[in-house]
Amino acid sequence: MPSDTPQPAFVLIRPQMGENIGAAARAMWNFGLDRMRVVAPRDGWPNPSAVAMASGAGRLLDEAVLAGDVAEGIADRTFVYATTARPRELTKPVFTPEAAMRDAANRIARGEKVAVMFGPERAGMENADIAQANAIITVPVNPDFPSLNLAQCVLLVGYEWRRAVEEAEEMVLRGQRTELAEGAEIEALARHYEERMDEAGFFYPPEKADSMKLNLRNLWSRMPLTRADVQMLHGMMRQLVRWKDKG
C-alpha cells in the first residue's frame, strides 16, 4: 500500500519506454513519493523493462494505478499541474517547479488532492491533455534545447517537492570531529604562533610587526576552525620547533 504521507500523485501520460517509467519510479522514491499513475502506456502494463530499471523502487510500479486516458487518471484530483516546456496558446497560470511545489504543499495541507502530469517522451503532452490541467509547470531551461527526459523531469519536480515540505540546512559541517573551536581556543592558538614566529624572526622589520600580527589574527578568525583543527595546528608548530632544536 502507498504510504500515508500527504503528497501529490505523479501521472505519466502515455509513456513510451518501460525503462523511462522505471527510472521515473526511482526518481520518485528518491524523494519519498510513491503515488504513481500510468495513463495508456504504449507497451502495455505491467512492463518488465520498467521493473528492471526501477531497481529498489519496484514497489511503486506494483502499486501504480493504470488509467485508460487522462480524464480517468486525474478523475479524483482537485488541482492538476501539467509539465511542459513548449509555449501554449492556452491561458493558465505558469509556475516554476519550485513555486509549483510550494503551491502544491499548501493545497495538500488544506485537504486538496493534487496531481502532476508528465507527458510522453517524444513530443510531450498535447493541448487536449493540458486543457484538463489547472496550471502549468515550466522549467527554465535552455530555449535552444528545452526537452527533458521523462525521468529527469520527474526527478526535478520531486526534488522541489521535497524542498517544499522538508526543512534542510543549506550547509552543514560533517565529519568525525566537527565541534567548532571557541574564541579562547583560537586566541591561544594565535598567541602560540605569534610567540614561536616572533622567536624565529618572522615579524620583520620591527615597524611592520604589529600589522603583521593583526593580519595573522584576522586570518585565524576568518577560518571556521574545529577543535580538532586547532589541536593539529598546535601540534604542527610544536613539532617544527622540536625539529629546529634538533639541528
Side-chain angles (χ1 to χ4, degrees), residues 22-23 25-30 33-34 50-62:
R26 291 185 65 175
M28 289 177 62
W29 193 231
N30 282 147
L33 293 157
D34 60 5
V51 174
M53 189 66 184
S55 187
R59 178 176 73 81
L60 271 72
L61 301 180
D62 294 337

Side-chain angles (χ1 to χ4, degrees), residues 11 22-23 44 49 52 61 66 71 123 136-137 142 168 171 182 186 190 194-195 206 217 223 230 239 246:
V11 186
S49 297
L61 301 180
L66 180 64
I136 289 172
I137 299 175
N142 177 3
M171 191 285 288
E182 296 178 352
I186 301 297
E194 283 181 12
E195 291 167 1
R217 291 288 180 117
M223 299 170 66
V230 169
Q239 189 61 30
K246 287 180 181 179

